[in-house]
Amino acid sequence: MTPTNPLHGKTLAVLGYGSQGRAHALNLRDSGVQVRLGLRPDGASWKQACADGWQPMPMAEATEGADMICFLMPDTAQPAAFRDHVEPNLAPGATLMFAHGFNIHYGTINPAEAHPVILIAPKGPGALVRREFERGRGVPCLTATHSDPRGDAAAMAQAYADAIGGGRAGILETNFAEETETDLFGEQAVLCGGATELVVAGFETLVEAGYQPEVAYYECLHELKLIVDLLQEGGLARMHRFISDTAKFGDLSRGKRIIDDATRDRMREILAEIQDGRFAREWLAEDASGRPRYDALLEEDLKHPIEAVGARLRANMPWLKEEDPTENSTPSDARSIEEPAA
Ligand code: NAD
Ligand code: MG
């Protein structure tokens, strides 16, 4: 790292060692940034961190004297961590860094004005942020500044995004509102909510019509990856080049009957709930009440027949298993193991 780099000589406190935390901490360290890990001593990721060669410390201790505090724990855990461990120990002028704008945008964390507040949001899960970095590549990042009392916030955000590998793939400036609202919309309507319901609905339609569940699984779930890879590599044009004319005609003449004006109206509804804060309030209340609905919905999702068929068929393709050290403590595992102690 050159002495002109805004992160040169700075100490960063990374709080959280799950999906994003582990990837950021390791990438920053490999880029020559001085990193401390702040974790809960009774949390499961403390052991993982030690196994990766870190000497984690409690969050309050990591915060003391650090130049930047990176909030890389679940969004719902951040307000209490800020209030109890960070705010009382924050050095004057220390920068607060987020990987998602949720708590700043919806006002659940309100730092004093003397602190720069920046956003570096990788557009991909942590495992990919680490894997791509190790391959000499990167995951694109959005950056933003919410508060810039010294005039160095944007440069720090850029340097951070570079240090985790984002510069190799593309860094785009945005603001906290745009990042928060589009990120929530994307995961609800398209990436997580939309895509999985499309897959499950297609699977159910075929199975209900008497086709083998295994065939329905390959058709509606397994093959989606091939299509998504083509889309990511070269957009609609690349996908069209690789699929048959028959598939293309089916796509072009039938797709708009699946995603129609009524679907678009519901997308606008979902976006409005995000923009006016209804989704955020619902999620924070759900979390505060111990997540009964979240747990019930998750259980319902995981006991769908597509899961049993998929597990059986994937056993024939062992290479699908990710070669990632956090594999056995996925973020959701870490959450369910650790949350009661919080
Ligand atoms: P995660 O669920 O993987 O975080 C787990 C880590 O947080 C563990 O180290 C755990 O010990 C710690 N933790 C859990 N509960 C805690 C608590 N109550 N107090 C203190 N520490 C606690 O989190 P994540 O998915 O990496 O998300 C971190 C941030 O990154 C969030 O703001 C999220 O929106 C953002 N983000 C996530 C992704 C993603 O793909 N996961 C992508 C982009 C941005
Ligand atoms: Mg997201």
Side-chain angles (χ1 to χ4, degrees):
M1 169 170 306
T2 64
T4 55
N5 189 305
L7 298 179
H8 180 80
K10 301 279 199 298
T11 298
L12 272 58
V14 168
L15 308 185
Y17 199 67
S19 176
Q20 293 293 326
R22 181 173 183 278
H24 291 220
L26 292 172
N27 292 4
L28 289 166
R29 187 169 73 177
D30 289 349
S31 295
V33 180
Q34 212 173 307
V35 178
R36 291 176 186 170
L37 264 194
L39 300 175
R40 292 168 305 169
D42 56 347
S45 54
W46 184 282
K47 288 180 212 84
Q48 167 82 54
C50 293
D52 288 348
W54 297 95
Q55 290 177 306
M57 52 185 97
M59 288 184 275
E61 203 180 306
T63 300
E64 272 175 37
D67 299 290
M68 190 188 292
I69 319 299
C70 310
F71 285 86
L72 298 173
M73 65 195 68
D75 295 305
T76 48
Q78 293 174 11
F82 178 72
R83 185 190 63 220
D84 300 338
H85 305 287
V86 175
E87 203 172 22
N89 300 295
L90 205 49
T95 299
L96 301 172
M97 176 275 171
F98 295 86
H100 177 36
F102 192 97
N103 285 299
I104 294 293
H105 181 58
Y106 293 115
T108 31
I109 293 181
N110 282 295
E113 274 170 26
H115 298 284
V117 178
I118 62 175
L119 174 81
I120 295 93
K123 292 287 99 184
L128 216 59
V129 172
R130 180 57 182 164
R131 199 194 308 156
E132 292 295 274
F133 180 90
E134 285 181 305
R135 291 177 175 171
R137 311 195 298 212
V139 167
C141 289
L142 301 185
T143 61
T145 62
H146 167 75
S147 157
D148 187 14
R150 288 192 299 267
D152 62 351
M156 273 192 296
Q158 168 85 31
Y160 187 109
D162 272 332
I164 62 168
R168 300 161 174 173
I171 298 172
L172 196 71
E173 264 191 67
T174 178
N175 54 59
F176 275 66
E178 184 176 64
E179 187 279 333
T180 305
E181 292 168 5
T182 55
D183 186 78
L184 294 173
F185 177 80
E187 64 203 18
Q188 293 176 19
V190 181
L191 306 174
C192 310
T196 56
E197 286 307 319
L198 185 67
V199 164
V200 167
F203 175 86
E204 285 175 354
T205 305
L206 290 177
V207 172
E208 190 187 277
Y211 299 102
Q212 297 181 67
E214 291 78 6
V215 174
Y217 175 88
Y218 285 140
E219 204 49 58
C220 299
L221 192 150
H222 181 83
E223 280 204 62
L224 185 61
K225 160 103 169 84
L226 314 174
I227 298 300
V228 169
D229 282 350
L230 292 170
L231 287 173
Q232 198 201 41
E233 290 157 12
L236 300 177
R238 182 166 167 85
M239 187 201 71
H240 285 152
R241 271 207 305 285
F242 279 82
I243 64 177
S244 67
D245 290 350
T246 309
K248 258 190 306 246
F249 182 68
D251 159 1
L252 300 169
S253 65
R254 300 298 195 269
K256 286 187 168 51
R257 279 164 60 187
I258 298 296
I259 308 295
D260 60 8
D261 286 344
T263 317
R264 284 182 172 75
D265 283 342
R266 289 191 300 276
M267 283 187 169
R268 289 185 197 105
E269 245 170 64
I270 282 173
L271 182 59
E273 290 170 16
I274 292 167
Q275 290 170 326
D276 66 18
R278 261 176 295 167
F279 171 76
R281 283 193 296 277
E282 182 184 325
W283 172 219
L284 293 170
E286 172 67 19
D287 182 66
S289 68
R291 305 187 175 192
R293 179 154 174 251
Y294 171 94
D295 289 338
L297 291 170
L298 193 59
E299 198 192 319
E300 199 181 302
D301 219 36
L302 298 182
K303 69 175 198 235
H304 192 280
I306 200 170
E307 284 293 277
V309 182
R312 241 182 9 255
L313 296 176
R314 288 193 300 271
N316 296 329
M317 301 175 276
W319 55 87
L320 291 180
K321 274 200 155 196
E322 269 189 284
E323 290 170 43
D324 186 89
T326 56
E327 184 188 13
N328 296 325
S329 60
T330 60
S332 48
D333 288 340
R335 201 169 285 153
S336 54
I337 292 164
E338 296 189 25
E339 212 91 293

Short mmCIF file of all heavy atoms in Angstrom, two decimals, residues 20-72:
data_model
loop_
_atom_site.label_atom_id
_atom_site.label_comp_id
_atom_site.label_asym_id
_atom_site.label_seq_id
_atom_site.Cartn_x
_atom_site.Cartn_y
_atom_site.Cartn_z
N GLN A 20 -20.01 -11.14 4.95
CA GLN A 20 -19.19 -10.01 4.49
C GLN A 20 -17.96 -9.79 5.39
O GLN A 20 -16.88 -9.50 4.90
CB GLN A 20 -20.01 -8.72 4.45
CG GLN A 20 -21.12 -8.72 3.40
CD GLN A 20 -20.58 -8.73 1.98
OE1 GLN A 20 -19.53 -8.15 1.68
NE2 GLN A 20 -21.29 -9.39 1.09
N GLY A 21 -18.12 -9.93 6.70
CA GLY A 21 -17.03 -9.61 7.63
C GLY A 21 -15.77 -10.40 7.36
O GLY A 21 -14.67 -9.84 7.30
N ARG A 22 -15.93 -11.69 7.16
CA ARG A 22 -14.76 -12.54 6.92
C ARG A 22 -14.07 -12.12 5.61
O ARG A 22 -12.84 -11.97 5.56
CB ARG A 22 -15.17 -14.01 6.85
CG ARG A 22 -14.01 -14.94 6.62
CD ARG A 22 -14.41 -16.41 6.72
NE ARG A 22 -13.23 -17.23 6.56
CZ ARG A 22 -12.71 -17.56 5.38
NH1 ARG A 22 -13.30 -17.15 4.26
NH2 ARG A 22 -11.61 -18.28 5.31
N ALA A 23 -14.86 -11.92 4.56
CA ALA A 23 -14.30 -11.56 3.26
C ALA A 23 -13.59 -10.21 3.31
O ALA A 23 -12.45 -10.07 2.84
CB ALA A 23 -15.42 -11.53 2.21
N HIS A 24 -14.24 -9.21 3.93
CA HIS A 24 -13.61 -7.88 3.99
C HIS A 24 -12.33 -7.94 4.82
O HIS A 24 -11.30 -7.40 4.41
CB HIS A 24 -14.57 -6.86 4.62
CG HIS A 24 -15.76 -6.53 3.77
ND1 HIS A 24 -16.25 -5.26 3.66
CD2 HIS A 24 -16.55 -7.32 3.00
CE1 HIS A 24 -17.32 -5.26 2.85
NE2 HIS A 24 -17.51 -6.51 2.45
N ALA A 25 -12.41 -8.59 6.00
CA ALA A 25 -11.24 -8.62 6.89
C ALA A 25 -10.05 -9.26 6.18
O ALA A 25 -8.94 -8.73 6.20
CB ALA A 25 -11.58 -9.35 8.18
N LEU A 26 -10.27 -10.40 5.52
CA LEU A 26 -9.17 -11.10 4.86
C LEU A 26 -8.65 -10.31 3.65
O LEU A 26 -7.44 -10.19 3.45
CB LEU A 26 -9.60 -12.50 4.43
CG LEU A 26 -9.90 -13.49 5.58
CD1 LEU A 26 -10.50 -14.79 5.02
CD2 LEU A 26 -8.63 -13.81 6.37
N ASN A 27 -9.56 -9.74 2.85
CA ASN A 27 -9.12 -8.98 1.68
C ASN A 27 -8.36 -7.71 2.10
O ASN A 27 -7.33 -7.37 1.50
CB ASN A 27 -10.32 -8.59 0.80
CG ASN A 27 -10.97 -9.79 0.13
OD1 ASN A 27 -10.58 -10.93 0.38
ND2 ASN A 27 -11.96 -9.55 -0.72
N LEU A 28 -8.88 -7.02 3.13
CA LEU A 28 -8.20 -5.82 3.62
C LEU A 28 -6.79 -6.18 4.10
O LEU A 28 -5.81 -5.51 3.76
CB LEU A 28 -8.99 -5.18 4.77
CG LEU A 28 -10.32 -4.48 4.42
CD1 LEU A 28 -11.13 -4.22 5.68
CD2 LEU A 28 -10.08 -3.18 3.66
N ARG A 29 -6.71 -7.26 4.89
CA ARG A 29 -5.41 -7.68 5.42
C ARG A 29 -4.44 -8.01 4.28
O ARG A 29 -3.29 -7.57 4.29
CB ARG A 29 -5.60 -8.91 6.34
CG ARG A 29 -4.34 -9.33 7.07
CD ARG A 29 -4.63 -10.35 8.15
NE ARG A 29 -4.95 -11.67 7.60
CZ ARG A 29 -5.19 -12.75 8.36
NH1 ARG A 29 -5.17 -12.66 9.68
NH2 ARG A 29 -5.46 -13.91 7.81
N ASP A 30 -4.93 -8.74 3.28
CA ASP A 30 -4.07 -9.08 2.14
C ASP A 30 -3.67 -7.84 1.34
O ASP A 30 -2.67 -7.86 0.62
CB ASP A 30 -4.78 -10.08 1.20
CG ASP A 30 -4.89 -11.47 1.84
OD1 ASP A 30 -4.24 -11.69 2.89
OD2 ASP A 30 -5.63 -12.30 1.29
N SER A 31 -4.46 -6.77 1.42
CA SER A 31 -4.13 -5.53 0.71
C SER A 31 -3.24 -4.62 1.54
O SER A 31 -2.96 -3.48 1.14
CB SER A 31 -5.41 -4.77 0.33
OG SER A 31 -6.16 -5.51 -0.59
N GLY A 32 -2.82 -5.10 2.73
CA GLY A 32 -1.89 -4.32 3.53
C GLY A 32 -2.54 -3.37 4.51
O GLY A 32 -1.86 -2.51 5.09
N VAL A 33 -3.84 -3.48 4.71
CA VAL A 33 -4.53 -2.62 5.66
C VAL A 33 -4.44 -3.25 7.05
O VAL A 33 -4.52 -4.47 7.20
CB VAL A 33 -6.02 -2.42 5.26
CG1 VAL A 33 -6.73 -1.52 6.26
CG2 VAL A 33 -6.13 -1.86 3.85
N GLN A 34 -4.27 -2.38 8.06
CA GLN A 34 -4.19 -2.86 9.44
C GLN A 34 -5.60 -3.09 9.96
O GLN A 34 -6.39 -2.15 10.05
CB GLN A 34 -3.50 -1.78 10.26
CG GLN A 34 -2.68 -2.30 11.41
CD GLN A 34 -1.92 -1.15 12.04
OE1 GLN A 34 -1.20 -0.41 11.36
NE2 GLN A 34 -2.12 -0.97 13.33
N VAL A 35 -5.92 -4.35 10.29
CA VAL A 35 -7.29 -4.72 10.66
C VAL A 35 -7.33 -5.34 12.06
O VAL A 35 -6.48 -6.16 12.40
CB VAL A 35 -7.87 -5.74 9.65
CG1 VAL A 35 -9.27 -6.17 10.06
CG2 VAL A 35 -7.89 -5.17 8.25
N ARG A 36 -8.32 -4.92 12.84
CA ARG A 36 -8.64 -5.57 14.11
C ARG A 36 -10.01 -6.17 13.96
O ARG A 36 -10.88 -5.58 13.33
CB ARG A 36 -8.81 -4.54 15.22
CG ARG A 36 -7.63 -3.83 15.66
CD ARG A 36 -8.17 -2.83 16.68
NE ARG A 36 -7.13 -1.94 17.11
CZ ARG A 36 -7.37 -0.87 17.84
NH1 ARG A 36 -8.62 -0.57 18.18
NH2 ARG A 36 -6.39 -0.11 18.21
N LEU A 37 -10.25 -7.30 14.61
CA LEU A 37 -11.57 -7.92 14.57
C LEU A 37 -12.26 -7.73 15.90
O LEU A 37 -11.71 -8.11 16.94
CB LEU A 37 -11.43 -9.42 14.33
CG LEU A 37 -11.56 -9.97 12.93
CD1 LEU A 37 -11.73 -11.47 13.00
CD2 LEU A 37 -12.71 -9.33 12.19
N GLY A 38 -13.46 -7.17 15.89
CA GLY A 38 -14.26 -7.01 17.10
C GLY A 38 -15.44 -7.97 17.06
O GLY A 38 -16.29 -7.86 16.18
N LEU A 39 -15.48 -8.92 17.99
CA LEU A 39 -16.54 -9.94 17.99
C LEU A 39 -17.06 -10.17 19.40
O LEU A 39 -16.43 -9.74 20.37
CB LEU A 39 -15.98 -11.27 17.44
CG LEU A 39 -15.42 -11.27 16.02
CD1 LEU A 39 -14.81 -12.62 15.70
CD2 LEU A 39 -16.49 -10.92 15.00
N ARG A 40 -18.18 -10.88 19.49
CA ARG A 40 -18.67 -11.27 20.81
C ARG A 40 -17.88 -12.50 21.26
O ARG A 40 -17.81 -13.49 20.51
CB ARG A 40 -20.16 -11.59 20.75
CG ARG A 40 -21.03 -10.37 20.48
CD ARG A 40 -22.44 -10.78 20.15
NE ARG A 40 -22.45 -11.72 19.03
CZ ARG A 40 -23.51 -12.40 18.65
NH1 ARG A 40 -24.65 -12.26 19.27
NH2 ARG A 40 -23.45 -13.22 17.61
N PRO A 41 -17.30 -12.45 22.44
CA PRO A 41 -16.45 -13.57 22.88
C PRO A 41 -17.19 -14.90 22.92
O PRO A 41 -16.56 -15.95 22.76
CB PRO A 41 -16.02 -13.14 24.29
CG PRO A 41 -16.10 -11.65 24.28
CD PRO A 41 -17.25 -11.32 23.39
N ASP A 42 -18.52 -14.88 23.08
CA ASP A 42 -19.26 -16.14 23.14
C ASP A 42 -19.84 -16.55 21.78
O ASP A 42 -20.54 -17.54 21.66
CB ASP A 42 -20.39 -16.04 24.18
CG ASP A 42 -21.33 -14.85 23.89
OD1 ASP A 42 -20.96 -14.00 23.04
OD2 ASP A 42 -22.41 -14.79 24.49
N GLY A 43 -19.54 -15.79 20.74
CA GLY A 43 -20.11 -16.08 19.42
C GLY A 43 -19.34 -17.17 18.68
O GLY A 43 -18.15 -17.39 18.93
N ALA A 44 -20.03 -17.85 17.74
CA ALA A 44 -19.42 -18.96 17.01
C ALA A 44 -18.29 -18.48 16.09
O ALA A 44 -17.33 -19.22 15.83
CB ALA A 44 -20.47 -19.70 16.20
N SER A 45 -18.39 -17.26 15.56
CA SER A 45 -17.37 -16.83 14.60
C SER A 45 -16.05 -16.46 15.29
O SER A 45 -15.03 -16.30 14.61
CB SER A 45 -17.89 -15.69 13.72
OG SER A 45 -18.35 -14.63 14.51
N TRP A 46 -16.06 -16.33 16.61
CA TRP A 46 -14.80 -16.09 17.34
C TRP A 46 -13.82 -17.23 17.04
O TRP A 46 -12.65 -17.01 16.73
CB TRP A 46 -15.10 -16.00 18.85
CG TRP A 46 -13.91 -15.66 19.70
CD1 TRP A 46 -12.90 -16.52 20.08
CD2 TRP A 46 -13.59 -14.39 20.28
NE1 TRP A 46 -11.99 -15.86 20.86
CE2 TRP A 46 -12.39 -14.54 21.01
CE3 TRP A 46 -14.20 -13.12 20.27
CZ2 TRP A 46 -11.78 -13.50 21.70
CZ3 TRP A 46 -13.60 -12.09 20.97
CH2 TRP A 46 -12.41 -12.27 21.67
N LYS A 47 -14.33 -18.47 17.10
CA LYS A 47 -13.47 -19.65 16.87
C LYS A 47 -13.00 -19.69 15.41
O LYS A 47 -11.84 -19.98 15.13
CB LYS A 47 -14.22 -20.94 17.21
CG LYS A 47 -14.41 -21.12 18.70
CD LYS A 47 -15.16 -22.42 19.02
CE LYS A 47 -16.01 -22.28 20.27
NZ LYS A 47 -17.33 -21.66 20.03
N GLN A 48 -13.92 -19.40 14.49
CA GLN A 48 -13.57 -19.37 13.07
C GLN A 48 -12.45 -18.35 12.83
O GLN A 48 -11.50 -18.60 12.10
CB GLN A 48 -14.80 -19.00 12.24
CG GLN A 48 -14.53 -18.64 10.79
CD GLN A 48 -14.39 -19.86 9.89
OE1 GLN A 48 -15.27 -20.71 9.86
NE2 GLN A 48 -13.28 -19.94 9.17
N ALA A 49 -12.59 -17.19 13.47
CA ALA A 49 -11.59 -16.13 13.31
C ALA A 49 -10.23 -16.60 13.82
O ALA A 49 -9.20 -16.38 13.17
CB ALA A 49 -12.05 -14.87 14.03
N CYS A 50 -10.21 -17.25 14.98
CA CYS A 50 -8.95 -17.74 15.53
C CYS A 50 -8.33 -18.76 14.57
O CYS A 50 -7.12 -18.75 14.31
CB CYS A 50 -9.16 -18.38 16.91
SG CYS A 50 -9.66 -17.19 18.17
N ALA A 51 -9.19 -19.63 14.01
CA ALA A 51 -8.71 -20.65 13.07
C ALA A 51 -8.10 -19.99 11.83
O ALA A 51 -7.20 -20.54 11.20
CB ALA A 51 -9.85 -21.58 12.67
N ASP A 52 -8.58 -18.80 11.45
CA ASP A 52 -8.05 -18.07 10.29
C ASP A 52 -6.83 -17.21 10.66
O ASP A 52 -6.36 -16.43 9.83
CB ASP A 52 -9.12 -17.15 9.70
CG ASP A 52 -10.22 -17.94 8.97
OD1 ASP A 52 -10.05 -19.14 8.74
OD2 ASP A 52 -11.26 -17.32 8.64
N GLY A 53 -6.37 -17.33 11.90
CA GLY A 53 -5.15 -16.61 12.29
C GLY A 53 -5.36 -15.22 12.86
O GLY A 53 -4.42 -14.43 12.94
N TRP A 54 -6.60 -14.89 13.26
CA TRP A 54 -6.85 -13.59 13.86
C TRP A 54 -6.77 -13.69 15.38
O TRP A 54 -6.89 -14.77 15.94
CB TRP A 54 -8.26 -13.10 13.50
CG TRP A 54 -8.49 -12.86 12.06
CD1 TRP A 54 -9.04 -13.74 11.16
CD2 TRP A 54 -8.19 -11.67 11.32
NE1 TRP A 54 -9.11 -13.16 9.92
CE2 TRP A 54 -8.59 -11.90 9.99
CE3 TRP A 54 -7.63 -10.43 11.64
CZ2 TRP A 54 -8.45 -10.95 8.98
CZ3 TRP A 54 -7.50 -9.48 10.65
CH2 TRP A 54 -7.90 -9.74 9.33
N GLN A 55 -6.59 -12.55 16.01
CA GLN A 55 -6.73 -12.49 17.46
C GLN A 55 -7.90 -11.55 17.76
O GLN A 55 -7.70 -10.35 18.00
CB GLN A 55 -5.45 -11.95 18.10
CG GLN A 55 -4.30 -12.93 17.99
CD GLN A 55 -3.02 -12.37 18.56
OE1 GLN A 55 -2.58 -11.28 18.16
NE2 GLN A 55 -2.44 -13.08 19.50
N PRO A 56 -9.12 -12.10 17.70
CA PRO A 56 -10.29 -11.24 17.88
C PRO A 56 -10.34 -10.64 19.28
O PRO A 56 -9.73 -11.18 20.21
CB PRO A 56 -11.49 -12.19 17.66
CG PRO A 56 -10.94 -13.56 17.79
CD PRO A 56 -9.48 -13.50 17.49
N MET A 57 -11.03 -9.52 19.40
CA MET A 57 -11.21 -8.87 20.71
C MET A 57 -12.66 -8.42 20.81
O MET A 57 -13.36 -8.36 19.80
CB MET A 57 -10.24 -7.69 20.85
CG MET A 57 -10.28 -6.70 19.70
SD MET A 57 -9.01 -5.42 19.86
CE MET A 57 -7.71 -6.06 18.82
N PRO A 58 -13.12 -8.12 22.03
CA PRO A 58 -14.51 -7.63 22.15
C PRO A 58 -14.71 -6.35 21.33
O PRO A 58 -13.75 -5.60 21.10
CB PRO A 58 -14.65 -7.36 23.65
CG PRO A 58 -13.61 -8.20 24.31
CD PRO A 58 -12.46 -8.25 23.34
N MET A 59 -15.95 -6.11 20.92
CA MET A 59 -16.24 -4.98 20.02
C MET A 59 -15.80 -3.63 20.60
O MET A 59 -15.28 -2.78 19.87
CB MET A 59 -17.74 -4.95 19.68
CG MET A 59 -18.16 -6.06 18.76
SD MET A 59 -19.90 -5.93 18.27
CE MET A 59 -20.67 -6.76 19.66
N ALA A 60 -16.00 -3.45 21.92
CA ALA A 60 -15.64 -2.17 22.54
C ALA A 60 -14.13 -1.93 22.43
O ALA A 60 -13.69 -0.83 22.09
CB ALA A 60 -16.07 -2.18 24.01
N GLU A 61 -13.38 -2.99 22.67
CA GLU A 61 -11.91 -2.88 22.64
C GLU A 61 -11.42 -2.60 21.20
O GLU A 61 -10.51 -1.79 20.99
CB GLU A 61 -11.33 -4.21 23.14
CG GLU A 61 -9.93 -4.14 23.68
CD GLU A 61 -9.48 -5.52 24.15
OE1 GLU A 61 -10.19 -6.15 24.96
OE2 GLU A 61 -8.43 -5.99 23.66
N ALA A 62 -12.04 -3.26 20.25
CA ALA A 62 -11.65 -3.06 18.85
C ALA A 62 -11.95 -1.62 18.41
O ALA A 62 -11.23 -1.04 17.60
CB ALA A 62 -12.39 -4.05 17.96
N THR A 63 -13.03 -1.06 18.96
CA THR A 63 -13.44 0.30 18.58
C THR A 63 -12.48 1.36 19.11
O THR A 63 -12.19 2.35 18.42
CB THR A 63 -14.87 0.58 19.11
OG1 THR A 63 -15.75 -0.38 18.54
CG2 THR A 63 -15.32 1.98 18.77
N GLU A 64 -11.97 1.14 20.32
CA GLU A 64 -11.11 2.14 20.97
C GLU A 64 -9.89 2.48 20.11
O GLU A 64 -9.09 1.61 19.79
CB GLU A 64 -10.61 1.61 22.32
CG GLU A 64 -11.56 1.93 23.46
CD GLU A 64 -11.10 1.29 24.76
OE1 GLU A 64 -9.87 1.23 25.00
OE2 GLU A 64 -11.98 0.83 25.51
N GLY A 65 -9.77 3.73 19.75
CA GLY A 65 -8.61 4.19 19.01
C GLY A 65 -8.60 3.82 17.54
O GLY A 65 -7.67 4.18 16.82
N ALA A 66 -9.61 3.09 17.05
CA ALA A 66 -9.64 2.72 15.63
C ALA A 66 -10.04 3.94 14.78
O ALA A 66 -10.80 4.79 15.22
CB ALA A 66 -10.61 1.57 15.40
N ASP A 67 -9.49 4.01 13.56
CA ASP A 67 -9.80 5.12 12.66
C ASP A 67 -11.10 4.87 11.89
O ASP A 67 -11.73 5.82 11.42
CB ASP A 67 -8.66 5.29 11.65
CG ASP A 67 -7.35 5.61 12.34
OD1 ASP A 67 -7.23 6.73 12.87
OD2 ASP A 67 -6.46 4.73 12.38
N MET A 68 -11.44 3.60 11.72
CA MET A 68 -12.68 3.28 11.00
C MET A 68 -13.34 2.07 11.65
O MET A 68 -12.64 1.10 11.98
CB MET A 68 -12.40 2.99 9.51
CG MET A 68 -13.66 2.88 8.66
SD MET A 68 -13.36 2.31 6.97
CE MET A 68 -12.45 3.66 6.26
N ILE A 69 -14.66 2.15 11.83
CA ILE A 69 -15.40 1.03 12.41
C ILE A 69 -16.30 0.48 11.30
O ILE A 69 -17.12 1.21 10.73
CB ILE A 69 -16.30 1.48 13.59
CG1 ILE A 69 -15.59 2.49 14.49
CG2 ILE A 69 -16.84 0.29 14.36
CD1 ILE A 69 -14.34 2.00 15.14
N CYS A 70 -16.14 -0.81 10.99
CA CYS A 70 -16.88 -1.41 9.89
C CYS A 70 -17.99 -2.31 10.44
O CYS A 70 -17.70 -3.30 11.10
CB CYS A 70 -15.93 -2.23 9.01
SG CYS A 70 -14.46 -1.29 8.54
N PHE A 71 -19.24 -1.97 10.14
CA PHE A 71 -20.40 -2.70 10.67
C PHE A 71 -20.72 -3.87 9.74
O PHE A 71 -21.46 -3.71 8.77
CB PHE A 71 -21.59 -1.76 10.82
CG PHE A 71 -21.46 -0.85 12.00
CD1 PHE A 71 -20.78 0.36 11.88
CD2 PHE A 71 -21.97 -1.21 13.24
CE1 PHE A 71 -20.62 1.19 12.98
CE2 PHE A 71 -21.82 -0.38 14.34
CZ PHE A 71 -21.14 0.82 14.22
N LEU A 72 -20.16 -5.03 10.04
CA LEU A 72 -20.35 -6.19 9.17
C LEU A 72 -21.01 -7.34 9.92
O LEU A 72 -20.64 -8.50 9.76
CB LEU A 72 -19.00 -6.58 8.54
CG LEU A 72 -18.43 -5.46 7.66
CD1 LEU A 72 -17.03 -5.78 7.19
CD2 LEU A 72 -19.34 -5.17 6.46
#
